Amino acid sequence: MALDSKIPPGPIDKKWTYHKGHMRIVAPANKRRIDVIVVGTGLAGGAAAASLAEMGYNVKAFCFQDSARRAHSIAAQGGINAAKNYQNDGDSTYRLFYDTVKGGDYRAREANVYRLAEVSANIIDQCVAQGVPFARDYGGLLDNRSFGGVQVSRTFYARGQTGQQLLLGAYSALMRQVGKGAVQMFDRHEMLDVVVVDGKARGIIARNLITGEIERHGAHAVLLCTGGYGNVFFLSTNAMGSNVTAAWKAHKRGAYFGNPCYTQIHPTCIPVSGTHQSKLTLMSESLRNDGRIWVPAKLEDAQAIREGRKKGSDIPEADRDYYLERRYPAFGNLVPRDVASRAAKERCDAGFGVNKTGEAVYLDFGAAIERYGKLQANVLKIENPGKEKITELGRAVVSEKYGNLFDMYENIVGENPYDHAMKIYPAVHYTMGGLWVDYNLQTTVPGLFALGEANFSDHGANRLGASALMQGLADGYFVIPYTVGDYLADDIRTGPIDTKRPEFDAAEKEVVDRINHFINNKGTKPVDEFHRRLGKVMWDKCGMARNAQGLQEAIAEIRQIREEFYRDVRVTGKANEFNQELEKAGRVADFLELGELMCVDALNRNESCGGHFREEYAEMEGPQQGEAKRDDANYAYVAAWEWTGDAGKANLHKEPLTFEEVKLTQRSYK
């Protein structure tokens, strides 16, 4: 099957306008005849469900949480990008487009990224109209801050709760439609399969997580807005319920999976503290605006800190290595996430780590507190303020900007980050890979669309900070309401989808058979044991750095874990009741297949780019020594994998990436 990305003709800044003007549409009276299923109620799903219902479609929305407002988008902290140039520092639609393509290490589709930049300004206006309480400057205008990989301030924020506030805006719009009866809300429901009829997605099989009942739901189109698959690593910043099941079931029904190996490691997370942990906690990238990252310059100081003989505050300024500022002077602490993560790993691997495990670096606000304190003293006309007064004033400013993040850190770590530098280390965060979609956000299965993190489309090999919220809302509010109509124009005379068709029978039988296998399996080990083992293999051999030998070993190990899982997993409880062990078993079964495909994809891509760092493909000398080395001649394509019945034997399809607006160059943040 040839991949048709359906990119419109014309100049890049006219493509979206041309496309909207030439797509087919569904008349208002006909929208009432059309049913749409939206799976997932985060920013992409909530925005899409609310928008489509407002337009007149009949919408069913599904989420496995107990409320749509518990979707994982709520956890995003630092901000959302938009090219409004409020700071008058040279930002523009083109600069946002360029930064995103460069940040993704030239592995994104240009047309999609430009559209994302183009609609970004609309998102802010939409959210302000909904009442999202963005931070404002002293004059009452919306404030901005900087994020990694850019040299302008374009990130709109609501302290460290941006995702929560944006989600509440989308949730309000969604619940308004629920109240009107335009959206049927199915919370505590998990989608367990897509139903394909005559080559088109025509519904889903879902399980009521309270009663265990298996349900059939028909629709003329299915939208998957189900987030990323970072929990394949077991320990990640994702909510523990986040999973790949919906996307993976779609993959097994014919939807190609794009660039599965592209995983983002976030550099600013609370380090692993022991095997008791079931997830990791993100500290917002916004902290790198004012926090400086460093390790001791002397090995003996690092050793003394690890052994508890010294604290970070004991190390004089002259003996600190602000390694990001040293290595990347143009961007300093605000280099992209993949660059910052690998730099932290390199310092810790060299013996300069500052916690007991040796896997942590400092994120220090001492200089920012002093700087802000002096500024405030000037504002308040305090002459010759003492050090204590400067610290007091500076802390108040830092608290205003990041206070809830500092409180969260102290609650988890038990240490006051105003007095002691935070300890951070990279952790799995976001996945740039996902279901392959065309310009209309449609997968290779007609009628099946993927939005937000569930698709691969906009970030290439690395997502810039504050772009996930932007993509989710762009897809849900400003893209899918146009593009889904072009597809649904053929269905105005189709009539309701009959869920008694044999295709629904067959899909439901597969779901029930799998559930029965887990319930009746007489194994001895809990689901989490297999998940933890898979996560360790993935982190060690397909994590921040990969190599051919490790990936080959990982593939063999994952196959072995999967075989043991089906033979020896023990799922307690019954199928027809609330059963979280059963939920986990299904999700881990899918992770055990996805993990193998991720390693196959990483092994196939013999280059380093963005979040995919192959140790064999790094610059060995010159000013870029140690940095990623792309191979544009052979790998400037999207890897779209087709299911064949075995994750390790998927068929590779390539969508060539053409760059007409941006010149392919090696990324440099120096």
Side-chain angles (χ1 to χ4, degrees):
M1 175 180 173
L3 290 170
D4 179 6
S5 57
K6 295 189 172 72
I7 297 172
I12 197 164
D13 59 342
K14 302 287 194 301
K15 288 182 186 294
W16 180 229
T17 302
Y18 173 90
H19 198 50
K20 286 189 292 184
H22 289 78
M23 281 189 289
R24 297 178 301 167
I25 58 176
V26 180
N30 287 329
K31 289 189 176 105
R32 294 193 289 271
R33 306 167 186 260
I34 302 289
D35 301 319
V36 178
I37 284 173
V38 178
V39 185
T41 58
L43 289 184
S51 299
L52 295 176
E54 184 78 44
M55 295 167 71
Y57 294 105
N58 306 309
V59 179
K60 289 183 176 182
F62 293 79
C63 69
F64 66 74
Q65 295 91 347
D66 53 7
S67 166
R69 62 177 289 183
R70 295 293 300 278
H72 191 54
S73 300
I74 206 167
Q77 297 166 343
I80 175 170
N81 290 330
K84 278 185 168 290
N85 196 31
Y86 280 179
Q87 304 298 315
N88 198 29
D89 55 2
D91 202 8
S92 65
T93 297
Y94 186 87
R95 192 176 294 278
L96 174 51
F97 157 70
Y98 174 81
D99 287 343
T100 306
V101 172
K102 177 185 175 183
D105 218 351
Y106 306 92
R107 290 292 176 262
R109 189 191 286 151
E110 274 192 340
N112 285 66
V113 178
Y114 194 91
R115 177 176 63 189
L116 177 65
E118 193 178 341
V119 305
S120 66
N122 299 339
I123 298 169
I124 304 304
D125 298 339
Q126 167 95 1
C127 294
V128 170
Q130 289 175 334
V132 173
F134 286 120
R136 295 179 182 266
D137 65 19
Y138 70 96
L141 299 175
L142 297 184
D143 200 9
N144 295 108
R145 56 190 179 199
S146 298
F147 261 60
V150 304
Q151 292 178 305
V152 297
S153 294
R154 67 162 65 103
T155 304
F156 295 78
Y157 65 98
R159 290 189 87 193
Q161 308 169 353
T162 314
Q164 179 176 354
Q165 299 303 330
L166 291 170
L167 185 63
L168 288 175
Y171 173 75
S172 299
L174 172 62
M175 295 313 290
R176 175 172 173 269
Q177 298 301 325
V178 171
K180 290 170 62 178
V183 173
Q184 276 185 275
M185 190 67 230
F186 294 86
D187 44 30
R188 284 295 192 186
H189 280 68
E190 182 166 29
M191 179 197 128
L192 294 180
D193 212 343
V194 179
V195 181
V196 178
V197 179
D198 297 331
K200 296 180 178 181
R202 289 303 198 193
I204 65 170
I205 305 297
R207 180 172 181 266
N208 182 322
L209 298 181
I210 301 296
T211 66
E213 183 182 356
I214 304 301
E215 302 175 3
R216 305 177 181 191
H217 296 273
H220 299 93
V222 177
L223 278 54
L224 300 185
C225 314
T226 49
Y229 48 87
N231 274 352
V232 69
F233 290 86
F234 186 69
L235 286 180
S236 81
T237 67
N238 288 235
M240 289 176 65
S242 298
N243 62 82
V244 77
T245 290
W248 193 249
K249 296 307 185 194
H251 174 54
K252 295 174 92 165
R253 291 291 179 194
Y256 293 2
F257 212 99
N259 297 333
C261 78
Y262 287 159
T263 307
Q264 181 168 81
I265 314 292
H266 197 295
T268 321
C269 302
I270 296 176
V272 174
S273 58
T275 55
H276 62 282
Q277 283 176 286
S278 53
K279 79 176 295 292
L280 298 174
T281 303
L282 170 72
M283 299 306 297
S284 169
E285 180 174 318
S286 63
L287 295 172
R288 289 199 274 145
N289 268 288
D290 289 311
R292 300 177 72 194
I293 294 175
W294 64 276
V295 292
K298 298 177 180 177
L299 277 170
E300 56 266 31
D301 284 342
Q303 181 74 21
I305 289 171
R306 286 197 295 273
E307 293 173 358
R309 293 183 283 112
K310 282 186 177 180
K311 293 183 176 178
S313 54
D314 297 329
I315 309 300
E317 193 71 18
D319 291 336
R320 298 181 179 188
D321 177 16
Y322 294 95
Y323 58 88
L324 290 178
E325 298 170 32
R326 168 173 58 81
R327 288 178 60 176
Y328 308 102
F331 284 75
N333 294 296
L334 285 173
V335 291
R337 292 174 177 178
D338 61 316
V339 176
S341 294
R342 284 196 295 274
K345 181 179 188 295
E346 185 274 328
R347 286 291 78 195
C348 290
D349 288 350
F352 293 93
V354 295
N355 68 349
K356 288 181 181 178
T357 66
E359 293 187 328
V361 299
Y362 285 126
L363 177 63
D364 197 329
F365 278 79
I369 288 171
E370 184 178 346
R371 184 175 75 253
Y372 284 129
K374 289 178 178 177
L375 285 172
Q376 279 297 97
N378 290 336
V379 170
L380 298 172
K381 302 293 189 288
I382 301 173
E383 293 187 22
N384 301 317
K387 187 175 181 183
E388 284 189 13
K389 188 63 178 177
I390 289 173
T391 300
E392 177 192 333
L393 294 171
R395 282 188 178 191
V397 175
V398 169
S399 176
E400 180 66 27
K401 296 178 78 169
Y402 312 110
N404 61 307
L405 298 171
F406 276 53
D407 293 344
M408 184 172 73
Y409 181 90
E410 185 170 9
N411 287 335
I412 293 171
V413 177
E415 194 169 78
N416 186 334
Y418 295 100
D419 296 331
H420 305 282
M422 291 182 184
K423 292 174 184 167
I424 58 165
Y425 194 69
V428 171
H429 180 51
Y430 187 91
T431 50
M432 286 75 66
L435 294 177
W436 183 92
V437 293
D438 61 20
Y439 191 74
N440 293 329
L441 305 184
Q442 188 169 220
T443 69
T444 48
V445 176
L448 182 66
F449 296 79
L451 285 65
E453 193 180 355
N455 73 34
F456 88 98
S457 70
D458 292 5
H459 306 298
N462 175 57
R463 174 173 72 80
L464 290 183
S467 287
L469 304 184
M470 176 173 61
Q471 188 209 349
L473 290 177
D475 287 356
Y477 281 138
F478 298 108
V479 178
I480 202 68
Y482 288 96
T483 61
V484 79
D486 186 56
Y487 171 78
L488 291 172
D490 288 331
D491 275 317
I492 59 175
R493 294 288 180 268
T494 300
I497 301 302
D498 179 10
T499 58
K500 294 189 171 70
R501 290 181 62 104
E503 292 87 349
F504 279 87
D505 294 341
E508 182 177 321
K509 183 178 185 303
E510 285 185 37
V511 166
V512 171
D513 287 349
R514 181 158 128 134
I515 288 172
N516 289 338
H517 168 80
F518 290 132
I519 291 294
N520 297 326
N521 203 45
K522 305 301 181 188
T524 61
K525 295 173 182 168
V527 176
D528 278 349
E529 181 170 327
F530 295 98
H531 195 180
R532 196 184 296 274
R533 283 171 60 192
L534 170 66
K536 179 162 175 48
V537 171
M538 294 298 295
W539 177 250
D540 290 346
K541 296 177 180 178
C542 194
M544 257 192 289
R546 300 103 183 251
N547 59 58
Q549 180 183 341
L551 290 166
Q552 288 164 345
E553 291 171 356
I555 290 167
E557 289 171 31
I558 292 168
R559 291 184 85 89
Q560 183 180 346
I561 295 170
R562 189 165 70 235
E563 185 183 317
E564 284 183 45
F565 171 79
Y566 278 102
R567 187 178 68 242
D568 202 25
V569 71
R570 179 176 179 81
V571 176
T572 54
K574 299 174 183 175
N576 57 347
E577 64 183 12
F578 178 71
N579 189 338
Q580 290 186 302
E581 279 299 297
L582 178 59
E583 293 170 36
K584 285 195 291 186
R587 295 166 187 171
V588 171
D590 295 329
F591 279 140
L592 283 163
E593 291 178 333
L594 167 70
E596 183 173 355
L597 181 62
M598 290 171 69
C599 293
V600 169
D601 188 38
L603 185 61
N604 177 74
R605 191 170 283 277
N606 292 321
E607 64 166 353
S608 287
C609 57
H612 168 64
F613 190 78
R614 283 283 295 272
E615 293 171 344
E616 309 97 315
Y617 303 100
E619 291 289 352
M620 303 307 293
E621 55 192 23
Q624 291 288 100
Q625 185 177 353
E627 302 296 333
K629 186 176 182 179
R630 289 198 325 270
D631 179 355
D632 294 328
N634 295 303
Y635 294 98
Y637 62 76
V638 177
W641 296 91
E642 178 189 10
W643 176 256
T644 61
D646 184 333
K649 297 176 182 174
N651 285 338
L652 173 62
H653 300 262
K654 300 176 182 179
E655 178 200 342
L657 292 170
T658 55
F659 294 89
E660 299 169 359
E661 300 295 322
V662 175
K663 184 181 177 184
L664 282 165
T665 57
Q666 184 169 34
R667 278 195 312 171
S668 174
Y669 293 94
K670 294 184 181 292

